[in-house]
Amino acid sequence: MNCEHYRKQLSRQVDIDLDRALTEELEKHLAACPECRSFRDGVKALNREFHTVGRTQPPVGLAERVKERVDRQRRRDRVLLPAWTRVPLVAMITLAAVGLGNLAGRSISSMLIPDRSEDAVEYTLVTQAPSFADLLTDNGSEENGQ
Amino acid sequence: MMRDQGYLSDEILVKEARDGSEAHFNALVDRYIGLVYRVAFSVTGSAHEAEDVVQETFLRVFRNLDGFDPSKAAFKTWLLAIARNQSINVLAHLKRKAARFLTRTQAAEDRDNAEEENFPHEMPDAETTLLSKERTQLVQQALAKLPEKQRTALMLKAVEGLSYAEIAEILHTSASAVESLIYRARSKILEEVEQ
Ligand SMILES: [Zn+2]
């Protein structure tokens, strides 16, 4: 077996099999091969360095800016979206009302434009949400919302 | 605004956020902003670009939350796949920009190397107390030279502690491919640093 074979094992061992003893074969090779020993020590040192250096924190205030921007989008959705979804909603409500024969004694407009229509409308919208795969192949051409 | 959503599982936060809860969406932002930022920073090599990627990523998550299928992927890997995809787009843009810049004038090359925001990497807020600054710099330079996929795989493993399976999902590859990406990344960095 060549060194690359053993080094792959060592790399893996550092990641997932830390507690497991090395195979006898690997032990033997390490005892005989200073290059692979140095690779093992190097990988361990690198991991320590990544732990220390790698945990970069995002700039202060970024989380708040993200939340504000999403919230702007949320508000915009509430204002814009009902306009083009009202037709199916109205149709549904009308059908339901007709089906129940429950029109008597109530103003039609109060049924067609319920106070809480915004929330209801939002849920009817998202039938066209992209799939996971669409998202990942999308080159960011959609509007930025800004 | 934000109360005690911090202890809730991703699944519950996602479900509530889907149902319109701002607080639960914000809890997801708080939980994952560091991870998304580090992925973006690792891919683009730019703190400035990483901020934009973070914004775009969460906006995209918000818009597409209804298309997220928990039976197909964990929220974390779905989110990080979006973050990486956004970052790759930005990186491609930065590279095109740098290439145009280079072809414009030969003399620009040195200046570009000196000014290039993209590479070499310098981790902001790095704690360098335990390590020699010089070695840290060598590691970061070697890291920056790696192909993006190797760099991201290594970072997600060594810094974030994700499993090979999770990384495979984010990179759209197999766990054994991830293993060898990480192995090659380590070999190259060690070659550069220890020569
Ligand atoms: Zn060997």
Side-chain angles (χ1 to χ4, degrees):
Chain A
M1 287 291 185
N2 61 11
C3 288
E4 188 178 346
H5 168 79
Y6 293 113
R7 287 179 198 179
K8 278 184 177 166
Q9 275 188 46
L10 285 167
S11 174
R12 179 191 169 83
Q13 198 242 354
V14 164
D15 286 335
I16 52 178
D17 297 330
L18 256 185
D19 301 329
R20 196 178 302 169
L22 298 181
T23 63
E24 205 175 316
E25 193 194 345
L26 185 53
E27 292 273 22
K28 257 188 205 161
H29 180 79
L30 279 177
C33 180
E35 285 88 359
C36 282
R37 282 203 300 275
S38 144
F39 176 84
R40 178 198 56 193
D41 297 343
V43 166
K44 285 183 175 170
L46 272 187
N47 263 20
R48 282 194 298 274
E49 287 177 23
F50 287 137
H51 273 295
T52 321
V53 175
R55 296 209 68 95
T56 311
Q57 293 303 315
V60 177
L62 181 59
E64 290 315 307
R65 291 200 295 282
V66 167
K67 292 171 191 173
E68 279 161 21
R69 189 163 167 196
V70 168
D71 194 46
R72 281 203 301 277
Q73 182 67 39
R74 189 181 282 117
R75 286 159 202 270
R76 196 171 302 145
D77 290 351
R78 286 197 180 131
V79 175
L80 292 179
L81 297 180
W84 56 273
T85 51
R86 195 156 284 163
V87 173
L89 184 73
V90 167
M92 270 168 53
I93 292 171
T94 308
L95 279 175
V98 168
L100 292 170
N102 194 26
L103 282 169
R106 294 174 68 174
S107 111
I108 289 184
S109 69
S110 76
M111 301 181 68
L112 297 188
I113 312 167
D115 286 339
R116 294 175 33 79
S117 67
E118 270 186 7
D119 290 340
V121 159
E122 278 185 81
Y123 300 135
T124 65
L125 275 182
V126 209
T127 53
Q128 298 279 43
S131 70
F132 192 36
D134 289 343
L135 262 185
L136 298 172
T137 49
D138 186 340
N139 277 324
S141 54
E142 66 175 11
E143 57 101 13
N144 265 341
Q146 279 296 1
Chain B
M1 210 176 66
M2 243 298 288
R3 283 185 295 276
D4 291 290
Q5 281 81 13
Y7 63 91
L8 296 172
S9 69
D10 284 2
E11 287 71 24
I12 290 173
L13 290 179
V14 167
K15 190 189 163 298
E16 295 294 326
R18 248 176 165 162
D19 290 347
S21 165
E22 184 179 345
H24 289 83
F25 186 88
N26 287 349
L28 287 168
V29 173
D30 288 329
R31 183 170 294 176
Y32 285 115
I33 192 165
L35 191 49
V36 169
Y37 180 78
R38 285 189 291 275
V39 166
F41 185 77
S42 166
V43 173
T44 66
S46 156
H48 174 72
E49 300 293 344
E51 279 196 44
D52 282 355
V53 167
V54 168
Q55 296 253 12
E56 283 303 319
T57 298
F58 281 107
L59 198 57
R60 199 167 269 237
V61 165
F62 172 73
R63 284 176 177 149
N64 295 291
L65 213 47
D66 286 276
F68 165 65
D69 183 351
S71 71
K72 284 188 188 155
F75 176 75
K76 181 162 88 171
T77 53
W78 181 69
L79 167 72
L80 290 182
I82 294 172
R84 177 184 176 241
N85 196 51
Q86 294 283 321
S87 305
I88 287 174
N89 291 342
V90 169
L91 179 62
H93 177 73
L94 289 175
K95 280 184 172 166
R96 280 197 301 274
K97 217 165 77 179
R100 275 202 303 274
F101 187 63
L102 283 176
T103 50
R104 221 176 292 149
T105 160
Q106 283 257 312
E109 196 171 341
D110 292 7
R111 199 153 44 96
D112 188 52
N113 283 337
E115 280 180 2
E116 183 54 77
E117 182 190 21
N118 187 15
F119 294 117
H121 274 225
E122 197 179 324
M123 303 273 192
D125 312 323
E127 288 171 34
T128 48
T129 42
L130 295 175
L131 308 154
S132 87
K133 235 183 167 171
E134 203 182 334
R135 178 171 160 105
T136 305
Q137 228 164 24
L138 281 175
V139 170
Q140 285 174 3
Q141 278 167 11
L143 201 54
K145 278 193 217 161
L146 294 177
E148 180 276 327
K149 216 170 186 178
Q150 286 182 23
R151 183 167 64 243
T152 304
L154 179 59
M155 205 279 288
L156 289 173
K157 182 74 240 175
V159 179
E160 309 297 345
L162 270 63
S163 70
Y164 285 172
E166 287 175 314
I167 299 170
E169 226 174 88
I170 294 164
L171 300 182
H172 303 291
T173 187
S174 65
S176 66
V178 168
E179 198 177 322
S180 79
L181 283 169
I182 292 173
Y183 162 72
R184 276 182 279 151
R186 284 176 167 143
S187 301
K188 278 192 212 160
I189 293 175
L190 290 175
E191 248 172 58
E192 295 246 349
V193 171
E194 286 169 3
Q195 73 187 351

